[in-house]
Amino acid sequence: MSVEIFKHVDDVLETLSTHKDATILAGGTDLLVEINFGRIRPTNVLAIDRVDELKDHSRNGHVRMGALVTYTRMLEADAGSPALQEAARTIGSPQIRNAATIGGNLGTCSPAGDALPVLAALEATVLLRSKHGERRVSFADFMTGPKKSVRRPDELIVAAEWEDAGAAQTYMFAATRNAMAISISGLAMVVDRARRRVGVGLGSCGPTIIRATEAERFATGVFEESGWDRPSRPSEAAAREFGKLAAGAAKPIDDVRGTAAYRRHVLAVMGARALARVGVIP
């Protein structure tokens, strides 16, 4: 196995254009698990953790987060999304958060990736770059299946971008323990009061991250009625209905971590709590 260390994006792209079997190493928190379990045996590893260009993070109405921004950095700085910061707290141990990156979560593209439901709810855009240029892909079109995406072998994930959606956001998840565990179900909710938009992303309950569109439409009606500019607590009946619609969007399976029925139950409870929580946030 060969390992090449890079400091510049252009050098990475040049190598990707000629090595179709290259494996990109950012934080390594997902890659090392795959190697340890014998699931992959990479031959050409491209280490990009020293590429400073991919560590940029800016927020000025529009948020741009470089692929190498770590979860620790999201917690220490203004991540540009309260829900993303809440998701960052759930990821592994402090040591894992020091190394794991937003680009790694996108690159692995697991339905259990904790940051991904938030990116779905934010309607984020993924920036991909190759030697031949850059393209922008909406998150809705980026993920195509479990650990599969539209990224080509010659492309590098360079950043994620989204419009600043304000403070009315939350992320919740359930797992078999508080840390170092794959989530049973996750739910992100974003209420963009300025643009009068609701986004709901579900994780660990289908082959990809799922948008709960019926729940989004219902919540939009709730905020239309109460007033987008005025924080208010939704009724218990509205919260339960929202949770029911969120759970109804899921496509879960039975596995060692939980049954499909339990996953739907968890989503219904989290959905009701999420609507109650964000409703009172201005």
Side-chain angles (χ1 to χ4, degrees):
M1 178 178 70
S2 68
V3 178
E4 296 183 68
I5 298 173
F6 296 87
K7 292 186 177 180
H8 303 288
V9 169
D10 288 344
D11 294 336
V12 180
L13 300 181
E14 181 65 34
T15 303
L16 286 175
S17 70
T18 57
H19 291 70
K20 301 304 181 184
D21 60 343
T23 300
I24 297 172
L25 170 66
T29 57
D30 288 330
L31 178 61
L32 290 179
V33 171
E34 297 292 293
I35 293 174
N36 287 341
F37 279 96
R39 295 170 185 154
I40 62 172
R41 287 290 182 262
T43 55
N44 297 299
V45 175
L46 312 185
I48 64 170
D49 58 306
R50 301 180 192 184
V51 180
D52 289 339
E53 182 183 341
L54 301 179
K55 299 177 183 180
D56 67 305
H57 180 209
S58 61
R59 177 183 180 183
N60 184 18
H62 181 81
V63 182
R64 178 187 173 96
M65 182 171 286
L68 290 182
V69 172
T70 66
Y71 292 102
T72 293
R73 188 173 166 196
M74 291 179 208
L75 292 171
E76 292 175 345
D78 185 349
S81 165
L84 190 58
Q85 285 187 304
E86 291 178 354
R89 292 189 188 98
T90 73
I91 293 174
S93 63
Q95 294 89 340
I96 294 294
R97 292 193 292 271
N98 285 341
T101 63
I102 188 73
N105 222 197
L106 284 164
T108 301
C109 227
S110 167
D114 289 291
L116 303 187
V118 181
L119 295 181
L122 288 167
E123 295 187 342
T125 298
V126 181
L127 276 67
L128 301 167
R129 190 181 300 169
S130 73
K131 184 180 176 181
H132 305 291
E134 188 171 276
R135 64 179 177 133
R136 304 167 62 87
V137 180
S138 68
F139 182 82
D141 298 325
F142 178 74
M143 191 173 183
T144 59
K147 298 188 177 182
K148 295 180 180 179
S149 72
V150 298
R151 185 182 73 85
R152 301 192 305 263
D154 67 332
E155 288 182 316
L156 180 69
I157 298 169
V158 296
E161 295 185 349
W162 61 88
E163 299 302 320
D164 192 332
Q169 306 179 27
T170 192
Y171 174 77
M172 301 180 182
F173 88 120
T176 53
R177 59 183 187 270
N178 288 335
M180 303 295 286
I182 300 173
S183 62
I184 294 170
S185 288
L187 182 146
M189 184 174 186
V190 173
V191 178
D192 189 336
R193 294 188 180 276
R195 297 175 182 83
R196 301 191 173 189
R197 185 189 72 81
V198 177
V200 180
L202 309 179
S204 289
C205 59
T208 63
I209 303 301
I210 296 171
R211 284 287 294 274
T213 54
E214 289 296 322
E216 291 173 348
R217 280 192 283 269
F218 178 81
T220 298
V222 171
F223 290 111
E224 289 283 358
E225 184 177 346
S226 64
W228 287 95
D229 299 326
R230 182 170 60 87
S232 62
R233 184 173 296 279
S235 67
E236 290 187 11
R240 284 196 302 270
E241 181 63 18
F242 175 80
K244 177 181 176 182
L245 292 171
K251 301 175 183 177
I253 60 171
D254 297 331
D255 64 15
V256 295
R257 291 177 291 119
T259 64
Y262 180 64
R263 283 186 163 90
R264 288 194 179 94
H265 170 71
V266 167
L267 286 169
V269 173
M270 290 193 299
R273 292 177 180 176
L275 184 64
R277 179 181 295 180
V278 300
V280 299
I281 301 175

